[in-house]
Amino acid sequence: MNLESKAVVCEDIGRQVLTYGHRKEVGTFVDAINAVSAADIASLATTLLKTPVTLASHGNIAAVPRYDAVIKMF
């Protein structure tokens, strides 16, 4: 967490209040991260790979492959 300035701390508090309805302690987030297992990540990856591919491009798209070519990779 990047909480070096008062402005960033205030923004973080506001975001947490809007998201959770209250401010959470840093330890809550650390515990949640530490609770993630390899099986959780594997399950998420399996779920994501079952959904259609989303392709977004910005800028010069001349070298971006066609959508049909990209979905063949998955």
Side-chain angles (χ1 to χ4, degrees), residues 40-51:
D40 294 330
I41 294 171
S43 175
L44 176 62
T46 300
T47 300
L48 290 175
L49 291 173
K50 288 180 181 177
T51 62

Side-chain angles (χ1 to χ4, degrees), residues 49 53 69-74:
L49 291 173
V53 173
V70 173
I71 61 173
K72 287 180 184 176
M73 297 177 199
F74 298 92

Side-chain angles (χ1 to χ4, degrees), residues 10-28:
C10 289
E11 181 182 343
D12 182 62
I13 291 169
R15 186 179 299 113
Q16 286 186 37
V17 170
L18 289 172
T19 303
Y20 306 113
H22 64 280
R23 185 171 187 206
K24 293 188 174 193
E25 296 295 323
V26 173
T28 305

Side-chain angles (χ1 to χ4, degrees), residues 5 8-9 15 19-20 30 33 45-47 57 60-61 71 73:
S5 72
V8 173
V9 171
R15 186 179 299 113
T19 303
Y20 306 113
V30 172
I33 292 167
T46 300
T47 300
S57 301
N60 183 357
I61 60 169
I71 61 173
M73 297 177 199

